[in-house]
């Protein structure tokens, strides 16, 4: 491997890790999108595929996922729907 190839590979690996970390944070802290490890597992791939250009802005990633909900995997959509319904119940109970 040349030095250039090694540097490019390291850069890509670092960028991927940062993107994954940002996505994980979004999926854990987004009240309307996800709290659970299930949501993180089911939606990380979709977030990377659909919203990687929004990283590291958490609110933009969240908005992107909601905006692209029709394009997310069925498993991610189910988790998003379930957790959104739970958040609405919590809000209603707090009122």
């Amino acid at each position: 491997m040349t030095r250039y190839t090694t540097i490019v590979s390291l850069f890509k690996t670092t960028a991927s890790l940062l993107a994954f970390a940002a996505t994980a944070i979004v999926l854990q802290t987004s009240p309307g999108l996800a709290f659970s490890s299930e949501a993180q597992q089911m939606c990380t791939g979709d977030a990377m595929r659909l919203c990687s250009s929004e990283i590291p802005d958490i609110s933009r990633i969240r908005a992107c996922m909601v905006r692209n909900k029709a394009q997310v995997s069925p498993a991610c959509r189910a988790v998003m729907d379930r957790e959104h319904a739970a958040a609405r119940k919590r809000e209603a109970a707090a009122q």
Side-chain angles (χ1 to χ4, degrees):
M1 235 189 220
T2 67
R3 182 178 172 101
Y4 174 77
T5 305
T6 303
I7 292 171
V8 169
S9 177
L10 179 62
F11 177 75
K12 286 181 180 180
T13 301
T14 303
S16 294
L17 289 172
L18 287 172
F20 178 78
T23 302
I25 290 167
V26 167
L27 294 176
Q28 287 181 329
T29 61
S30 171
L33 184 56
F35 288 108
S36 69
S37 61
E38 178 189 18
Q40 185 176 352
Q41 182 180 359
M42 295 297 155
C43 297
T44 297
D46 292 312
M48 295 295 294
R49 177 175 53 87
L50 297 168
C51 304
S52 62
S53 63
E54 308 301 334
I55 294 170
D57 189 320
I58 292 171
S59 61
R60 287 178 56 186
I61 296 169
R62 183 182 316 133
C64 175
M65 288 294 288
V66 171
R67 186 174 57 248
N68 289 294
K69 186 176 176 183
Q71 297 176 39
V72 302
S73 65
C76 179
R77 189 175 313 117
V79 171
M80 289 173 71
D81 289 343
R82 198 167 43 246
E83 294 193 0
H84 179 71
R88 289 182 64 152
K89 284 182 183 179
R90 284 190 301 271
E91 289 174 7
Q95 292 179 356

